[in-house]
Amino acid sequence: MSRVFPTVREILALDPIRHGAPRLVAGEAGLDRPVRWVHVAEVPDIASLLRGGELVLTTGIGLPGDDAGLRAFIGELADVGVSGLVVELGRRYVSGVPRVMAAAAARRGLPLVELRRATPFVRVTEAVHALIVDAQLTELRATEEIHQRFTELSVEGAGPAEVVRQAAELSGCPVVLENLSRQVLAYDPAGQSAELLLDGWEQHSRRISPPGRTAYDTDRGWLVTTVGARGQDWGRLLLRWPGGGELAAPAPLPDPAAEPADVAPRPVTPPTRLTILVERAASTLALGRLIRRDAEGLERQIHRTLLTALLDHSRPVDEVALRARALGVVLDRRHLVGVVVRWRTDDPAADGAPPEEPGPADPEAGPARLRDLSEAVGQALREAKLTGLSSAVDDQAVGVLLALSDPAAEDRALAAFAAALRRNRVDAAGSRAAEPAPARATGAGAVIVAAGSGVGSLREARRSLVEARQVADAARRDRRDLPVFRLPHVGLAGLLHLLRDEPRLQTFVERELGALLAYDARHPREQLLGTLRAYLEQGRNKSAAAAAAHLSRPAFYERLARIARILDADLDSVEACLSLHVALLALDAVRTP
């Protein structure tokens, strides 16, 4: 692919220049400078008329005759940004340009070329300007095709794989889309070896770090642009351009005796159209992600509206069924099962190891955690090939109303859903393991899947959803790692949770534990309620309870004696301990939001 502007090296390979037997005198490092225009000049103060990027042609007849003047002439050309200076010998300089001119050009890195044979400058300007105009037209057509192609992809909602494939096809170069962890999301090797392209990709990618959102890594030959929108970057798009890296070593200046075909100019930066291409491809990828996310968000909003309507009777059941059917979820004449998925703990920090030093709470942690859980539940429904309404029902839980065609398939459907959710590996920090996460040694899963009793009509769906929520809340302190919790699994704790708003239950809790709760409030460092809980949960085995409470046996016995005095209860009595244990379970139910 050619650039909009040819380089000095490319111009020296043109026939009109080669006819003049060119010889590079100085400034070899600048041969790959682009040439914006060719200007013929025979006056020493031409620099003031130039804007940079010109290739200046001269016979030298108007140049200064003294060394200081020649140094100033070269310095002014370099200061204005001229791409190169070509001097035809024969009129002012016969055997070669003055040494002082060559030295000044070498010092400023300005390409200085002698033409040892007479050369019609008009042929040079015609050839170069035609090359520039032709390249501009070619670039314009290519840019138009790029914009048209990626506009069509945006309208069609093409996925990342198709966008990457089109970018590789238009450029003829390998293209890779990666996330911020340097994991490949999509790629197209453009006919090359995919194994070689992706071998050791993460380590290779981390070495590719040119500055800016779109830049070219000359050392490794990759054109890179950041992918993201709304200030949230989520990946990089990389295109391997063979003109860079080890392939970019400058070619030698052509020998006047050589044939034109021997000249092989090698650009060191990608053409403008490739920069446009990767940026348009990145925009298409970012827009596609936003469209999919917004569409999914709108669908979830409708799901939440319908689930909320069922729970609080804010809409007629027939209207809910009609709107759900419009979403592709048929609720009429279906066996409906309410399911609630929630985290075992409300605190994101409590899911993993506690921080060494407490810091300020992150206000975004809760919503992000719930959003990740909603995405995991939706993905599990798709993987299990189940239909139903799915949405967050409060700040900690996601509700699902499964619609099954066969009541006998209830247990099988719930098992498939729970298994799919586990495959998604929702980790305790609130993020799905689409990206690798370290394994956690926990006694039970980070989430609870609870299901209510199946019902045969939409009018009864609220009962199943409410039951599922109550079971999920009651199961939060259950250390068993059951795939799905049902009402029989939660036993007494479930019953107490159902009765947690009953004033008589709250009165019972205060009568049994009020004195101990008041003592703990006055002595926050002791927390005797925890000691009592350990004693009762260990079946009144004092040695096991002391170990569970991380206390020595004498200290634990002393605490138990103090608890007995405060509560005026016999802790060796089975009946008294049963009453206290029920009161503890009821307290947990009352405190659960």
Side-chain angles (χ1 to χ4, degrees):
M1 295 184 180
S2 59
R3 285 174 191 72
V4 174
F5 299 122
T7 65
V8 176
R9 189 190 302 278
E10 291 171 330
I11 290 176
L12 295 179
L14 295 176
D15 287 343
I17 289 285
R18 289 173 61 82
H19 175 77
R23 186 173 74 90
L24 180 66
V25 176
E28 181 178 1
L31 287 177
D32 292 302
R33 293 179 180 175
V35 175
R36 185 181 56 81
W37 203 246
V38 176
H39 195 88
V40 180
E42 298 294 354
V43 292
D45 57 350
I46 189 61
S48 61
L49 304 178
L50 303 177
R51 294 187 302 164
E54 296 89 354
L55 180 67
V56 177
L57 307 181
T58 183
T59 62
I61 58 175
L63 297 186
D66 59 304
D67 291 351
L70 288 176
R71 291 192 193 95
F73 175 69
I74 294 295
E76 289 171 358
L77 292 183
D79 289 340
V80 80
V82 164
S83 297
L85 175 63
V86 178
V87 180
E88 183 191 73
L89 303 181
R91 300 192 182 186
R92 174 67 181 276
Y93 309 119
V94 179
S95 59
V97 297
R99 290 184 178 179
V100 65
M101 180 185 290
R107 189 163 50 252
R108 299 300 300 269
L110 178 68
L112 176 60
V113 179
E114 296 175 342
L115 296 179
R116 290 170 287 175
R117 288 200 294 259
T119 304
F121 284 171
V122 66
R123 294 183 182 175
V124 176
T125 57
E126 285 177 348
V128 176
H129 293 166
L131 185 64
I132 292 174
V133 172
D134 184 62
Q136 287 176 327
L137 289 175
T138 301
E139 198 80 6
L140 183 61
R141 294 190 192 101
T143 301
E144 183 179 359
E145 181 183 0
I146 289 169
H147 284 293
Q148 181 177 353
R149 185 80 63 91
F150 286 107
T151 299
E152 291 173 355
L153 292 174
S154 297
V155 172
E156 294 169 358
E162 178 61 18
V163 175
V164 169
R165 189 188 71 81
Q166 292 285 352
E169 180 180 312
L170 288 171
S171 65
C173 302
V175 179
V176 176
L177 173 65
E178 65 177 16
N179 61 18
L180 297 181
S181 297
R182 304 299 197 266
Q183 295 171 326
V184 176
L185 304 177
Y187 71 93
D188 191 304
Q192 300 182 25
S193 170
E195 291 77 9
L196 291 177
L197 177 68
L198 301 180
D199 183 41
W201 175 260
E202 180 179 347
Q203 292 75 18
H204 179 62
S205 173
R206 292 187 185 281
R207 292 193 291 267
I208 304 172
S209 55
R213 290 189 66 83
T214 302
Y216 181 65
D217 190 320
T218 306
D219 294 335
R220 292 172 178 84
W222 285 90
L223 177 62
V224 185
T225 189
T226 303
V227 183
R230 297 179 179 174
Q232 295 182 346
D233 298 333
W234 54 267
R236 298 198 307 172
L237 189 66
L238 301 93
L239 182 148
R240 189 168 71 187
W241 167 243
E246 296 179 354
L247 301 178
L253 190 68
D255 187 337
E259 294 297 323
D262 292 340
V263 179
R266 295 178 183 175
V268 293
T269 57
T272 304
R273 79 173 83 176
L274 282 190
T275 301
I276 295 173
L277 185 147
V278 295
E279 289 181 339
R280 284 290 284 119
S283 299
T284 303
L285 289 165
L287 179 61
R289 184 179 175 107
L290 287 176
I291 290 173
R292 287 189 293 275
R293 179 179 295 175
D294 290 345
E296 187 177 10
L298 179 59
E299 183 178 347
R300 284 182 182 167
Q301 290 174 21
I302 299 174
H303 279 228
R304 182 165 193 167
T305 299
L306 298 181
L307 280 178
T308 303
L310 289 175
L311 288 169
D312 60 15
H313 301 294
S314 61
R315 294 176 185 270
V317 172
D318 293 340
E319 181 183 341
V320 172
L322 181 63
R323 294 193 63 182
R325 191 182 306 116
L327 283 175
V329 180
V330 179
L331 300 177
D332 294 324
R333 295 185 296 277
R334 291 291 188 273
H335 183 73
L336 306 175
V337 183
V339 179
V340 168
V341 181
R342 65 161 300 137
W343 300 105
R344 284 188 180 270
T345 172
D346 296 343
D347 182 12
D351 293 330
E356 295 181 1
E357 296 182 3
D362 182 2
E364 298 297 326
R369 194 165 173 256
L370 183 62
R371 184 169 58 250
D372 290 339
L373 183 59
S374 297
E375 291 177 358
V377 168
Q379 179 65 23
L381 286 173
R382 289 188 290 271
E383 289 184 10
K385 299 181 180 179
L386 297 173
T387 60
L389 299 177
S390 167
S391 171
V393 291
D394 57 38
D395 293 340
Q396 302 294 337
V398 176
V400 180
L401 182 62
L402 291 179
L404 307 175
S405 57
D406 182 9
E410 178 180 319
D411 291 339
R412 187 168 61 251
L414 290 172
F417 169 73
L421 191 61
R422 282 178 177 266
R423 282 196 299 271
N424 277 334
R425 285 170 43 220
V426 182
D427 69 27
S431 62
R432 288 187 306 154
E435 299 178 7
R440 297 180 182 271
T442 55
V447 295
I448 293 169
V449 180
S453 302
V455 297
S457 71
L458 189 57
R459 297 185 186 279
E460 300 176 282
R462 180 180 184 276
R463 175 166 59 83
S464 184
L465 285 167
V466 170
E467 182 180 310
R469 176 186 279 181
Q470 292 171 340
V471 171
D473 289 340
R476 291 173 62 192
R477 298 190 64 84
D478 195 315
R479 293 297 93 193
R480 292 175 295 174
D481 192 12
L482 299 178
V484 181
F485 280 89
R486 309 298 293 267
L487 193 57
H489 294 137
V490 294
L492 178 60
L495 173 63
L496 294 173
H497 186 82
L498 294 175
L499 299 174
R500 69 186 185 278
D501 294 327
E502 173 61 47
R504 284 174 292 184
L505 181 66
Q506 297 170 10
T507 300
F508 169 73
V509 171
E510 287 300 315
R511 184 176 69 246
E512 293 292 319
L513 298 175
L516 190 61
L517 293 171
Y519 181 89
D520 280 352
R522 295 192 302 270
H523 305 85
R525 291 190 176 184
E526 294 190 39
Q527 294 302 307
L528 295 180
L529 186 70
T531 303
L532 177 62
R533 185 187 300 278
Y535 176 64
L536 297 175
E537 288 182 349
Q538 296 299 323
R540 298 188 300 121
N541 184 322
K542 296 180 181 179
S543 297
H550 305 290
L551 294 171
S552 66
R553 275 193 258 181
F556 188 80
Y557 296 160
E558 191 277 330
R559 284 191 170 209
L560 280 184
R562 202 179 322 157
I563 292 171
R565 289 194 301 272
I566 293 170
L567 295 178
D568 191 21
D570 181 5
L571 296 186
D572 291 325
S573 167
V574 174
E575 184 177 350
C577 288
L578 175 60
S579 182
L580 289 173
H581 201 176
V582 171
L584 273 176
L585 294 175
L587 177 65
D588 293 338
V590 170
R591 286 178 170 177
T592 300

